[in-house]
Amino acid sequence: GAVVSQHPSWVICKSGTSVKIECRSLDFQATTMFWYRQFPKQSLMLMATSNEGSKATYEQGVEKDKFLINHASLTLSTLTVTSAHPEDSSFYICSARDIRGEQFFGPGTRLTVL
Amino acid sequence: DAKTTQPPSMDCAEGRAANLPCNHSTISGNEYVYWYRQIHSQGPQYIIHGLKNNETNEMASLIITEDRKSSTLILPHATLRDTAVYYCIVRVAGGNAGNMLTFGGGTRLMVKP
């Protein structure tokens, strides 16, 4: 089956630093990838939609200059949380969509900002 | 995408069938019903999806009412490892640019020994 990986699985950083999270589709090409954020005891909230070779589309309320998304290839998208602060601590989950339109999710990355 | 309504939580005894309901009264004719689940601190896992016919796979069965306004996910023999949040989502199938999965609150299923 389709597999999506994320790296790292968890990260702890100091306030003010930037953190990059990678999302890879391991056995299929994904023209579209999605980034979600999930706070404790809440559902997944879509942050942005990333299309290969073009700029990401951000959901309302998500700062594009703070959450930089790059989708340079059909198998890799990255999310960079710039100048992270404690309120950015969350579980970040990526999803990749295959040619049939089905979405497959990564295992998530837990970010803790001290 | 159509909105779905699910009970926030349910309990089920281990070994018994777990029946998780979902209401989607505003579903459109070209929208499918998808079910995902999320085990604590993991990414969502696909379970099953259907359009109007009942579907079954190795994980679960999906029963969709004739008017398609509601559905039920059935885990035939629940185990402790089935404890998770179950999300019912309706969306148009296919690779359209705007066709992403939007998550509601889901149902937190607790399987008890």
Side-chain angles (χ1 to χ4, degrees):
Chain A
V3 178
V4 177
S5 70
Q6 282 185 241
H7 178 82
S9 56
W10 60 270
V11 57
I12 301 173
C13 70
K14 293 182 179 180
S15 184
T17 61
S18 294
V19 174
K20 180 185 285 188
I21 302 170
E22 293 187 348
C23 176
R24 294 180 185 272
S25 56
L26 298 184
D27 49 4
F28 67 99
Q29 292 184 331
T31 55
T32 303
M33 289 185 172
F34 305 92
W35 287 96
Y36 294 81
R37 179 169 54 181
Q38 185 176 33
F39 292 107
K41 298 190 184 301
Q42 295 185 22
S43 188
L44 284 78
M45 295 297 296
L46 180 67
M47 298 175 66
T49 301
S50 166
N51 292 299
E52 187 264 337
S54 63
K55 291 184 179 180
T57 302
Y58 291 81
E59 295 298 303
Q60 190 173 8
V62 178
E63 300 176 55
K64 61 179 174 55
D65 294 330
K66 181 171 184 61
F67 299 98
L68 302 179
I69 292 173
N70 184 280
H71 191 166
S73 78
L74 289 173
T75 60
L76 173 65
S77 176
T78 61
L79 168 68
T80 301
V81 183
T82 62
S83 186
H85 288 93
E87 58 265 30
D88 299 321
S89 298
S90 189
F91 192 49
Y92 291 87
I93 304 169
C94 76
S95 171
R97 185 164 66 196
D98 69 8
I99 194 171
R100 300 169 302 161
E102 302 303 334
Q103 270 184 251
F104 302 93
F105 289 84
T109 296
R110 185 161 301 283
L111 169 64
T112 301
V113 184
L114 302 177
Chain B
D1 289 344
K3 184 177 179 179
T4 62
T5 304
Q6 299 177 252
S9 63
M10 290 181 64
D11 289 345
C12 177
E14 187 179 19
R16 304 296 293 270
N19 298 287
L20 292 91
C22 179
N23 286 324
H24 32 79
S25 58
T26 60
I27 191 170
S28 299
N30 61 345
E31 287 182 315
Y32 287 69
V33 180
Y34 282 77
W35 283 84
Y36 282 76
R37 73 179 183 184
Q38 186 180 26
I39 295 170
H40 183 63
S41 293
Q42 296 183 24
Q45 176 190 21
Y46 167 82
I47 301 173
I48 199 168
H49 76 282
L51 183 63
K52 54 183 178 181
N53 296 323
N54 297 338
E55 302 287 344
T56 295
N57 62 20
E58 65 277 6
M59 289 183 67
S61 294
L62 173 60
I63 309 298
I64 302 174
T65 58
E66 192 169 344
D67 62 8
R68 301 209 323 122
K69 293 185 177 182
S70 65
S71 60
T72 301
L73 179 74
I74 301 173
L75 307 179
H77 306 287
T79 71
L80 298 179
R81 288 177 294 180
D82 292 322
T83 292
V85 179
Y86 288 77
Y87 295 99
C88 168
I89 303 168
V90 294
R91 68 154 192 156
V92 177
N96 296 326
N99 188 18
M100 73 290 286
L101 290 167
T102 302
F103 290 80
T107 295
R108 186 173 297 275
L109 176 68
M110 179 73 71
V111 180
K112 298 183 175 181

